[in-house]
Coordinates of all heavy atoms in Angstrom, one line a residue:
M16 N -19.8 114.5 -19.8 CA -18.8 115.5 -19.3 C -17.5 115.3 -20.1 O -17.1 114.2 -20.4 CB -18.5 115.2 -17.8 CG -19.7 115.6 -16.9 SD -19.3 115.4 -15.2 CE -18.3 116.8 -14.9
P17 N -16.9 116.4 -20.3 CA -15.6 116.3 -21.0 C -14.5 115.6 -20.1 O -14.6 115.8 -18.9 CB -15.2 117.7 -21.4 CG -16.2 118.6 -20.7 CD -17.3 117.7 -20.2
P18 N -13.6 114.9 -20.7 CA -12.5 114.3 -19.9 C -11.7 115.4 -19.2 O -11.5 116.5 -19.7 CB -11.7 113.5 -20.9 CG -12.4 113.6 -22.2 CD -13.5 114.6 -22.1
G19 N -11.3 115.1 -17.9 CA -10.4 116.0 -17.2 C -11.2 116.9 -16.3 O -10.6 117.6 -15.5
T20 N -12.5 116.9 -16.4 CA -13.3 117.7 -15.5 C -13.8 116.9 -14.3 O -13.9 115.7 -14.3 CB -14.6 118.3 -16.2 OG1 -15.4 117.2 -16.6 CG2 -14.2 119.2 -17.3
Q21 N -14.0 117.6 -13.2 CA -14.4 116.9 -12.0 C -15.9 117.2 -11.6 O -16.3 118.3 -11.8 CB -13.5 117.4 -10.8 CG -13.6 116.5 -9.6 CD -12.6 117.0 -8.6 OE1 -12.1 118.1 -8.6 NE2 -12.3 116.1 -7.6
C22 N -16.6 116.1 -11.2 CA -18.0 116.3 -10.8 C -18.1 117.0 -9.5 O -17.2 116.8 -8.6 CB -18.6 114.9 -10.7 SG -18.8 114.0 -12.3
A23 N -19.2 117.7 -9.3 CA -19.4 118.3 -8.0 C -19.8 117.3 -7.0 O -19.5 117.4 -5.8 CB -20.5 119.4 -8.2
W24 N -20.5 116.2 -7.5 CA -21.0 115.1 -6.6 C -20.4 113.8 -7.2 O -20.4 113.6 -8.4 CB -22.5 115.0 -6.6 CG -23.2 116.1 -5.9 CD1 -23.6 117.3 -6.4 CD2 -23.5 116.2 -4.5 NE1 -24.1 118.1 -5.4 CE2 -24.1 117.4 -4.2 CE3 -23.3 115.3 -3.4 CZ2 -24.6 117.8 -3.0 CZ3 -23.8 115.7 -2.2 CH2 -24.4 116.9 -2.0
P25 N -19.9 113.0 -6.3 CA -19.5 111.7 -6.8 C -20.8 110.9 -7.4 O -21.9 111.1 -6.9 CB -19.0 110.9 -5.6 CG -18.9 111.9 -4.5 CD -19.7 113.1 -4.9
T26 N -20.6 110.2 -8.4 CA -21.7 109.5 -9.1 C -22.4 108.5 -8.2 O -23.6 108.2 -8.3 CB -21.3 108.8 -10.4 OG1 -20.2 107.9 -10.0 CG2 -20.8 109.8 -11.4
S27 N -21.7 108.0 -7.2 CA -22.3 107.0 -6.3 C -23.2 107.7 -5.3 O -24.0 107.1 -4.6 CB -21.2 106.2 -5.5 OG -20.4 107.1 -4.8
A28 N -23.1 109.0 -5.1 CA -23.9 109.8 -4.2 C -25.1 110.3 -4.8 O -26.0 110.9 -4.1 CB -23.0 110.9 -3.5
I29 N -25.3 110.2 -6.1 CA -26.5 110.8 -6.7 C -27.6 109.8 -6.5 O -27.5 108.6 -6.9 CB -26.3 111.0 -8.2 CG1 -25.2 112.1 -8.4 CG2 -27.6 111.4 -8.9 CD1 -24.8 112.3 -9.9
P30 N -28.7 110.1 -5.8 CA -29.7 109.2 -5.5 C -30.6 108.9 -6.8 O -30.8 109.8 -7.6 CB -30.6 109.9 -4.5 CG -30.3 111.3 -4.7 CD -28.9 111.4 -5.2
V31 N -31.0 107.7 -6.9 CA -31.9 107.3 -8.0 C -33.3 107.6 -7.5 O -33.6 107.4 -6.3 CB -31.8 105.8 -8.3 CG1 -32.8 105.4 -9.3 CG2 -30.3 105.5 -8.7
S32 N -34.1 108.2 -8.3 CA -35.5 108.6 -7.9 C -36.3 107.3 -7.6 O -36.5 106.5 -8.5 CB -36.1 109.4 -9.0 OG -37.4 109.7 -8.7
A33 N -36.6 107.1 -6.4 CA -37.4 106.0 -6.0 C -38.3 106.4 -4.8 O -38.0 107.3 -4.1 CB -36.5 104.8 -5.5
F34 N -39.5 105.7 -4.8 CA -40.4 106.0 -3.7 C -40.9 104.7 -3.1 O -41.3 103.8 -3.8 CB -41.6 106.8 -4.3 CG -42.7 107.1 -3.3 CD1 -42.5 108.1 -2.3 CD2 -43.8 106.4 -3.2 CE1 -43.4 108.4 -1.4 CE2 -44.8 106.7 -2.3 CZ -44.6 107.7 -1.4
V35 N -40.7 104.6 -1.8 CA -41.2 103.4 -1.1 C -42.3 103.9 -0.2 O -42.1 104.7 0.7 CB -40.0 102.8 -0.3 CG1 -40.5 101.6 0.5 CG2 -38.9 102.5 -1.2
A36 N -43.5 103.3 -0.4 CA -44.6 103.6 0.5 C -44.5 102.8 1.7 O -44.4 101.6 1.7 CB -45.9 103.3 -0.3
L37 N -44.6 103.5 2.8 CA -44.6 102.8 4.1 C -46.1 102.7 4.6 O -46.8 103.7 4.5 CB -43.8 103.7 5.2 CG -42.3 103.8 4.9 CD1 -41.7 104.7 5.9 CD2 -41.7 102.5 4.9
P38 N -46.5 101.6 5.1 CA -47.9 101.4 5.5 C -48.2 102.3 6.7 O -47.4 102.4 7.6 CB -48.0 100.0 5.8 CG -46.6 99.5 6.0 CD -45.7 100.4 5.2
Q39 N -49.3 102.9 6.7 CA -49.7 103.8 7.8 C -50.1 103.0 9.0 O -49.9 103.3 10.1 CB -50.9 104.7 7.4 CG -50.5 105.6 6.3 CD -49.4 106.6 6.7 OE1 -49.4 107.1 7.8 NE2 -48.4 106.8 5.8
I40 N -50.8 101.8 8.7 CA -51.2 100.9 9.8 C -50.4 99.6 9.6 O -50.5 99.0 8.6 CB -52.7 100.7 9.7 CG1 -53.5 102.0 9.9 CG2 -53.1 99.7 10.8 CD1 -55.0 101.8 9.6
P41 N -49.7 99.2 10.6 CA -48.9 98.0 10.4 C -49.9 96.8 10.3 O -51.0 96.7 10.9 CB -48.1 97.9 11.7 CG -48.8 98.7 12.7 CD -49.5 99.8 11.9
P42 N -49.5 95.8 9.5 CA -50.4 94.6 9.3 C -50.5 93.9 10.6 O -49.6 93.8 11.4 CB -49.6 93.8 8.2 CG -48.2 94.3 8.2 CD -48.3 95.7 8.7
R43 N -51.7 93.3 10.8 CA -51.9 92.6 12.0 C -51.6 91.1 11.8 O -51.7 90.6 10.7 CB -53.4 92.7 12.4 CG -53.8 94.0 12.8 CD -55.3 94.1 13.1 NE -56.0 94.0 11.8 CZ -57.3 93.7 11.6 NH1 -58.0 93.6 12.7 NH2 -57.8 93.7 10.4
N44 N -51.1 90.5 12.8 CA -50.8 89.1 12.8 C -52.0 88.3 13.2 O -52.3 88.2 14.4 CB -49.6 88.7 13.7 CG -49.2 87.3 13.5 OD1 -49.7 86.6 12.7 ND2 -48.3 86.8 14.4
V45 N -52.8 87.9 12.2 CA -54.1 87.2 12.5 C -54.0 85.7 12.3 O -55.0 85.0 12.3 CB -55.2 87.8 11.7 CG1 -55.5 89.3 12.2 CG2 -54.9 87.8 10.2
N46 N -52.8 85.2 12.0 CA -52.7 83.8 11.8 C -52.7 83.1 13.1 O -52.0 83.4 14.1 CB -51.3 83.5 11.1 CG -51.3 84.1 9.7 OD1 -52.3 84.2 9.1 ND2 -50.1 84.4 9.3
W47 N -53.5 82.0 13.2 CA -53.6 81.2 14.4 C -53.8 79.8 14.0 O -54.4 79.5 12.9 CB -54.6 81.7 15.4 CG -56.0 81.8 14.9 CD1 -56.6 82.8 14.2 CD2 -57.0 80.7 15.0 NE1 -57.9 82.4 13.9 CE2 -58.1 81.2 14.4 CE3 -57.0 79.5 15.6 CZ2 -59.3 80.5 14.3 CZ3 -58.2 78.8 15.6 CH2 -59.3 79.3 15.0
F48 N -53.4 78.9 14.8 CA -53.5 77.5 14.5 C -53.9 76.8 15.7 O -53.5 77.0 16.8 CB -52.1 76.9 14.0 CG -52.2 75.5 13.7 CD1 -52.7 75.0 12.5 CD2 -51.6 74.6 14.6 CE1 -52.7 73.7 12.2 CE2 -51.6 73.2 14.3 CZ -52.2 72.8 13.1
S49 N -54.9 75.9 15.5 CA -55.4 75.1 16.7 C -55.7 73.7 16.1 O -55.9 73.5 15.0 CB -56.6 75.7 17.2 OG -57.0 75.1 18.4
E50 N -55.7 72.8 17.0 CA -55.9 71.4 16.6 C -56.8 70.7 17.6 O -57.0 71.2 18.7 CB -54.7 70.6 16.4 CG -53.7 70.7 17.5 CD -52.4 70.0 17.2 OE1 -51.8 70.3 16.2 OE2 -52.0 69.1 18.0
G51 N -57.5 69.7 17.2 CA -58.4 68.9 18.1 C -59.6 68.6 17.3 O -59.9 69.0 16.2
K52 N -60.4 67.8 18.0 CA -61.7 67.3 17.3 C -62.6 68.5 17.1 O -63.4 68.5 16.1 CB -62.3 66.2 18.2 CG -63.4 65.5 17.5 CD -63.7 64.2 18.1 CE -64.8 63.5 17.3 NZ -64.4 62.8 16.1
W53 N -62.7 69.4 18.1 CA -63.6 70.5 17.9 C -63.3 71.4 16.7 O -64.2 71.9 16.1 CB -63.6 71.4 19.2 CG -62.4 72.2 19.4 CD1 -61.2 71.9 20.0 CD2 -62.2 73.6 18.9 NE1 -60.3 72.9 19.9 CE2 -60.9 74.0 19.2 CE3 -63.0 74.5 18.2 CZ2 -60.4 75.2 18.9 CZ3 -62.5 75.7 17.9 CH2 -61.2 76.1 18.3
V54 N -62.0 71.5 16.3 CA -61.7 72.3 15.1 C -62.2 71.6 13.9 O -62.8 72.3 13.0 CB -60.1 72.4 15.0 CG1 -59.8 73.2 13.7 CG2 -59.6 73.1 16.2
H55 N -62.1 70.3 13.8 CA -62.6 69.6 12.7 C -64.1 69.7 12.6 O -64.7 69.9 11.5 CB -62.2 68.1 12.7 CG -62.8 67.3 11.6 ND1 -62.3 67.4 10.3 CD2 -63.7 66.3 11.6 CE1 -63.0 66.5 9.6 NE2 -63.9 65.9 10.3
L56 N -64.8 69.5 13.7 CA -66.3 69.6 13.8 C -66.7 71.0 13.4 O -67.7 71.2 12.7 CB -66.8 69.2 15.1 CG -66.6 67.7 15.5 CD1 -67.0 67.5 17.0 CD2 -67.3 66.8 14.6
A57 N -66.0 72.0 13.9 CA -66.4 73.4 13.5 C -66.2 73.7 12.1 O -67.1 74.3 11.4 CB -65.6 74.4 14.3
K58 N -65.2 73.1 11.5 CA -64.9 73.3 10.0 C -66.0 72.6 9.2 O -66.6 73.2 8.3 CB -63.6 72.8 9.7 CG -63.2 73.0 8.2 CD -61.9 72.4 7.9 CE -61.7 72.5 6.4 NZ -60.5 71.9 5.9
V59 N -66.4 71.4 9.6 CA -67.4 70.7 8.8 C -68.7 71.4 9.0 O -69.5 71.5 8.0 CB -67.5 69.2 9.4 CG1 -68.7 68.5 8.8 CG2 -66.2 68.4 9.0
A60 N -69.1 71.8 10.2 CA -70.3 72.5 10.4 C -70.4 73.8 9.5 O -71.4 74.1 8.9 CB -70.5 72.9 11.9
F61 N -69.3 74.6 9.5 CA -69.3 75.8 8.7 C -69.4 75.5 7.2 O -70.2 76.2 6.5 CB -68.1 76.6 9.0 CG -68.0 77.9 8.1 CD1 -68.8 79.0 8.4 CD2 -67.2 77.9 7.0 CE1 -68.8 80.1 7.6 CE2 -67.2 79.0 6.2 CZ -68.0 80.1 6.5
E62 N -68.7 74.5 6.7 CA -68.8 74.1 5.3 C -70.2 73.7 5.0 O -70.7 74.1 3.9 CB -67.8 73.0 5.0 CG -66.4 73.4 5.0 CD -65.4 72.3 4.8 OE1 -65.8 71.1 4.8 OE2 -64.2 72.6 4.6
K63 N -70.9 72.9 5.8 CA -72.3 72.5 5.5 C -73.2 73.7 5.5 O -74.1 73.8 4.6 CB -72.7 71.4 6.5 CG -72.1 70.1 6.3 CD -72.7 69.1 7.3 CE -72.0 67.7 6.9 NZ -72.7 66.6 7.7
Y64 N -73.0 74.6 6.5 CA -73.9 75.8 6.5 C -73.7 76.6 5.3 O -74.6 77.1 4.7 CB -73.5 76.6 7.8 CG -73.9 78.0 7.7 CD1 -75.2 78.4 7.9 CD2 -72.9 79.0 7.5 CE1 -75.6 79.8 7.8 CE2 -73.3 80.3 7.4 CZ -74.6 80.7 7.6 OH -75.0 82.0 7.5
F65 N -72.4 76.9 4.9 CA -72.1 77.7 3.8 C -72.6 77.1 2.5 O -73.2 77.8 1.7 CB -70.6 77.9 3.7 CG -70.2 78.9 2.6 CD1 -70.3 80.3 2.8 CD2 -69.7 78.5 1.4 CE1 -70.0 81.2 1.8 CE2 -69.3 79.3 0.4 CZ -69.5 80.7 0.6
M66 N -72.4 75.8 2.3 CA -72.9 75.2 1.0 C -74.4 75.2 1.0 O -75.0 75.4 -0.1 CB -72.4 73.7 1.0 CG -70.9 73.7 0.8 SD -70.3 74.6 -0.7 CE -71.0 73.7 -2.0
R67 N -75.1 75.0 2.1 CA -76.5 75.0 2.1 C -77.0 76.4 1.8 O -78.0 76.6 1.0 CB -77.1 74.6 3.5 CG -78.6 74.6 3.6 CD -79.0 74.0 4.9 NE -80.5 74.2 5.0 CZ -81.1 74.6 6.1 NH1 -80.4 74.9 7.1 NH2 -82.4 74.7 6.1
K68 N -76.3 77.4 2.3 CA -76.7 78.8 2.0 C -76.5 79.1 0.5 O -77.3 79.8 -0.1 CB -75.8 79.7 2.9 CG -76.1 81.2 2.8 CD -75.2 81.9 3.8 CE -75.2 83.4 3.6 NZ -74.4 84.1 4.5
M69 N -75.4 78.7 -0.1 CA -75.1 78.9 -1.5 C -76.1 78.2 -2.4 O -76.6 78.7 -3.4 CB -73.7 78.5 -1.9 CG -72.6 79.4 -1.2 SD -72.8 81.1 -1.7 CE -73.3 81.9 -0.2
R70 N -76.5 77.0 -2.0 CA -77.4 76.2 -2.9 C -78.8 76.8 -2.8 O -79.5 76.9 -3.8 CB -77.5 74.8 -2.3 CG -76.4 73.9 -2.8 CD -76.7 72.4 -2.5 NE -75.4 71.7 -2.5 CZ -74.9 71.2 -1.4 NH1 -75.5 71.2 -0.2 NH2 -73.7 70.6 -1.4
G71 N -79.2 77.3 -1.6 CA -80.5 78.0 -1.5 C -80.6 79.4 -2.1 O -81.6 79.9 -2.4
G72 N -79.4 80.0 -2.3 CA -79.4 81.3 -2.9 C -79.7 82.4 -2.0 O -80.1 83.5 -2.4
T73 N -79.7 82.2 -0.7 CA -80.0 83.2 0.3 C -78.7 83.9 0.6 O -77.7 83.3 0.8 CB -80.6 82.6 1.6 OG1 -79.7 81.7 2.1 CG2 -81.9 81.9 1.3
S74 N -78.8 85.2 0.7 CA -77.6 86.0 1.0 C -77.5 86.2 2.5 O -76.4 86.4 3.1 CB -77.7 87.4 0.4 OG -78.8 88.1 0.8
E75 N -78.7 86.2 3.2 CA -78.6 86.4 4.7 C -79.8 85.7 5.3 O -81.0 86.0 4.9 CB -78.7 87.9 4.8 CG -78.4 88.4 6.2 CD -78.3 89.9 6.2 OE1 -79.2 90.6 5.7 OE2 -77.4 90.5 6.8
H76 N -79.6 84.9 6.3 CA -80.7 84.2 7.0 C -81.2 85.2 8.1 O -80.6 86.2 8.4 CB -80.2 83.0 7.7 CG -79.8 81.9 6.7 ND1 -80.8 81.2 6.0 CD2 -78.7 81.4 6.2 CE1 -80.2 80.3 5.2 NE2 -78.9 80.4 5.3
V77 N -82.3 84.8 8.6 CA -83.0 85.6 9.7 C -82.1 85.8 10.9 O -81.9 86.9 11.4 CB -84.3 85.0 10.1 CG1 -84.9 85.8 11.3 CG2 -85.3 85.0 8.9
F78 N -81.4 84.6 11.3 CA -80.6 84.7 12.5 C -79.4 85.6 12.3 O -78.8 86.2 13.2 CB -80.3 83.3 13.1 CG -79.5 82.5 12.1 CD1 -78.1 82.5 12.1 CD2 -80.2 81.6 11.3 CE1 -77.4 81.7 11.2 CE2 -79.5 80.8 10.4 CZ -78.1 80.8 10.4
E79 N -78.9 85.6 11.0 CA -77.8 86.5 10.7 C -78.2 88.0 10.8 O -77.4 88.8 11.4 CB -77.2 86.2 9.3 CG -76.5 85.0 9.2 CD -76.0 84.8 7.7 OE1 -76.2 85.7 6.9 OE2 -75.4 83.7 7.5
K80 N -79.4 88.3 10.4 CA -79.9 89.7 10.5 C -80.0 90.1 11.9 O -79.6 91.2 12.3 CB -81.2 89.8 9.8 CG -81.1 89.7 8.3 CD -82.5 89.8 7.7 CE -82.5 89.6 6.2 NZ -83.8 89.6 5.5
V81 N -80.5 89.2 12.7 CA -80.7 89.5 14.2 C -79.4 89.6 14.9 O -79.2 90.6 15.6 CB -81.6 88.3 14.8 CG1 -81.6 88.5 16.3 CG2 -83.0 88.3 14.3
L82 N -78.4 88.8 14.6 CA -77.1 88.8 15.2 C -76.4 90.1 14.8 O -75.8 90.8 15.6 CB -76.3 87.6 14.8 CG -74.9 87.6 15.4 CD1 -74.9 87.4 16.9 CD2 -74.1 86.5 14.8
L83 N -76.4 90.5 13.5 CA -75.8 91.7 13.1 C -76.4 92.9 13.6 O -75.7 93.9 14.0 CB -75.7 91.8 11.5 CG -74.8 90.7 10.8 CD1 -75.0 90.8 9.3 CD2 -73.4 90.9 11.2
K84 N -77.8 92.9 13.7 CA -78.5 94.0 14.3 C -78.1 94.2 15.8 O -77.9 95.3 16.3 CB -80.0 93.9 14.1 CG -80.7 95.1 14.5 CD -82.2 94.9 14.1 CE -83.0 96.2 14.4 NZ -84.4 96.1 14.1
A85 N -78.0 93.0 16.5 CA -77.6 93.1 17.9 C -76.2 93.6 18.2 O -76.0 94.3 19.1 CB -77.7 91.7 18.5
V86 N -75.3 93.3 17.2 CA -73.9 93.8 17.3 C -73.9 95.3 16.9 O -72.9 96.0 17.3 CB -73.0 92.9 16.5 CG1 -71.6 93.5 16.4 CG2 -73.0 91.5 17.0
G87 N -74.8 95.7 16.1 CA -74.8 97.1 15.7 C -74.3 97.3 14.3 O -73.9 98.4 13.9
I88 N -74.3 96.3 13.5 CA -73.8 96.4 12.1 C -75.0 96.4 11.2 O -75.9 95.5 11.2 CB -72.9 95.2 11.7 CG1 -71.7 95.1 12.7 CG2 -72.5 95.2 10.3 CD1 -70.9 93.9 12.5
M89 N -75.1 97.5 10.4 CA -76.3 97.7 9.5 C -75.8 97.6 8.0 O -74.7 98.0 7.7 CB -77.0 99.0 9.7 CG -77.5 99.2 11.1 SD -78.9 98.0 11.3 CE -79.2 98.2 13.1
K90 N -76.6 97.1 7.2 CA -76.3 97.1 5.8 C -76.5 98.5 5.2 O -77.3 99.3 5.7 CB -77.2 96.1 5.0 CG -77.0 94.7 5.4 CD -77.9 93.8 4.7 CE -77.4 93.4 3.4 NZ -78.3 92.4 2.7
L91 N -75.8 98.8 4.1 CA -76.0 100.1 3.4 C -77.2 100.0 2.6 O -77.5 99.0 2.0 CB -74.7 100.4 2.5 CG -73.4 100.5 3.2 CD1 -72.3 100.7 2.2 CD2 -73.5 101.8 4.1
K92 N -77.9 101.1 2.6 CA -79.1 101.2 1.8 C -78.8 101.6 0.3 O -77.9 102.4 0.1 CB -80.1 102.3 2.3 CG -80.5 102.0 3.7 CD -81.6 101.0 3.8 CE -82.1 100.8 5.2 NZ -83.0 99.8 5.4
G93 N -79.5 101.1 -0.7 CA -79.3 101.4 -2.1 C -79.8 102.8 -2.3 O -80.7 103.3 -1.7
K94 N -79.1 103.5 -3.2 CA -79.5 104.9 -3.5 C -80.7 104.9 -4.5 O -80.9 104.2 -5.3 CB -78.4 105.7 -4.1 CG -77.3 106.0 -3.1 CD -76.2 106.8 -3.7 CE -75.2 107.1 -2.6 NZ -74.2 108.0 -3.1

């Protein structure tokens, strides 16, 4: 702008182009903490189960299939 002219808008009022995405669903607070012997035993049991499952190369045991079917969760079929 040439010197001596006046702006229609003050420069501090000109917004900078920015977009902030607001989440549609607020995040859930799923953090929980517990202590005791049962927590340690549950962790050890799950680790042993998981490592045995990975060593064996099985993706899903029979009791997992039965439990998921009872809950109503089905796997997607390949096309």
